[in-house]
Amino acid sequence: QQPVQSPQAVILREGEDAVINCSSSKALYSVHWYRQKHGEAPVFLMILLKGGEQKGHDKISASFNEKKQQSSLYLTASQLSYSGTYFCGTEGNDKLIFGTGTRLQVFP
Amino acid sequence: EADIYQTPRYLVIGTGKKITLECSQTMGHDKMYWYQQDPGMELHLIHYSYGVNSTEKGDLSSESTVSRIRTEHFPLTLESARPSHTSQYLCASSARDRGPQFFGPGTRLTVL
């Protein structure tokens, strides 16, 4: 089952914060996050493993709640370069399945 | 520099033609994947391989086939292209189970 992301789209001004959520109906071992800019390939951001960990990458961080089968991506003080479509990818007992995607646009 | 390459980047062909999309990686990764993605939409896994001589079908039904004779090379073949095959095809690789995937630049295919 494909994980569901919310919201579907976000519009921000530079400097604003955003949260993107990813929910699965299956038990998860790990969650990946990727960003895809228009016309380009997805780029790996981070991976969170079972254990409820949180990770950070510059001003982008994420959390993983395996009991709720959910992950959230936090973008703080957004920059123009954050614009793109964000995909979560979830792994249970099987291979990675990508989520529905969240389109994020940051304006000056 | 370790990387993942796809050729061609763009391809426009007529219905019924046989085509092969090339994917090569220089990272020594055992695991390789093919995804299909329509513009602005999610990625759908169509084939994957966990090593030489290993290939599996993904979640999205596809009329394509793949082969993995060498670790670094994972070509995808369409025996008879149709307009419904028009899409972007992305190749990816990863070093290990549950590891990050690294994507090639993609091949944008248009079948007339």
Side-chain angles (χ1 to χ4, degrees):
Chain A
Q1 277 82 353
Q2 183 178 32
V4 176
Q5 291 183 231
S6 63
Q8 286 185 302
V10 184
I11 298 176
L12 298 173
R13 290 278 183 200
E14 248 184 316
E16 291 182 337
D17 302 339
V19 181
I20 300 171
N21 300 302
C22 173
S23 294
S24 173
S25 58
K26 293 167 60 172
L28 300 177
Y29 181 88
S30 68
V31 178
H32 298 215
W33 285 97
Y34 294 78
R35 176 171 61 211
Q36 184 176 28
K37 292 183 179 287
H38 182 69
E40 298 180 9
V43 173
F44 171 75
L45 292 176
M46 66 187 78
I47 183 170
L48 300 102
L49 301 177
K50 192 172 161 179
E53 65 171 337
Q54 237 172 313
K55 268 198 171 179
H57 174 68
D58 197 8
K59 291 191 174 122
I60 300 175
S61 61
S63 63
F64 175 27
N65 186 326
E66 75 224 46
K67 287 183 182 175
K68 291 186 177 179
Q69 294 157 198
Q70 291 175 347
S71 177
S72 294
L73 186 72
Y74 306 94
L75 299 106
T76 306
S78 59
Q79 305 166 17
L80 296 176
S81 60
Y82 287 3
S83 293
T85 300
Y86 289 77
F87 291 100
C88 67
T90 56
E91 288 182 299
N93 292 325
D94 204 346
K95 53 202 174 301
L96 188 69
I97 301 174
F98 282 93
T100 48
T102 296
R103 185 168 296 182
L104 185 128
Q105 285 183 284
V106 182
F107 290 97
Chain B
E1 181 179 308
D3 214 335
I4 181 163
Y5 306 93
Q6 289 186 244
T7 57
R9 292 292 312 277
Y10 302 92
L11 182 61
V12 180
I13 59 168
T15 297
K17 300 288 185 188
K18 177 180 178 179
I19 58 165
T20 296
L21 307 184
E22 302 287 349
C23 175
S24 293
Q25 49 97 3
T26 58
M27 296 176 278
H29 289 171
D30 283 329
K31 293 157 184 53
M32 296 188 74
Y33 312 85
W34 275 104
Y35 292 91
Q36 186 174 340
Q37 183 184 36
D38 292 327
M41 303 298 286
E42 54 260 46
L43 295 98
H44 294 288
L45 181 67
I46 48 176
H47 294 283
Y48 60 101
S49 167
Y50 283 164
V52 170
N53 295 325
S54 145
T55 61
E56 300 285 345
K57 285 186 182 287
D59 300 318
L60 183 67
S61 172
S62 172
E63 291 154 348
S64 56
T65 58
V66 291
S67 62
R68 190 87 183 276
I69 298 171
R70 302 197 317 265
T71 298
E72 62 271 21
H73 194 215
F74 190 39
L76 181 144
T77 298
L78 274 169
E79 291 292 332
S80 179
R82 297 209 299 264
S84 59
H85 295 138
T86 294
S87 190
Q88 173 160 258
Y89 293 83
L90 289 158
C91 180
S93 71
S94 66
R96 63 181 193 278
D97 270 343
R98 310 187 189 284
Q101 293 190 14
F102 298 95
F103 286 81
T107 294
R108 199 172 293 275
L109 174 67
T110 302
V111 184
L112 303 174

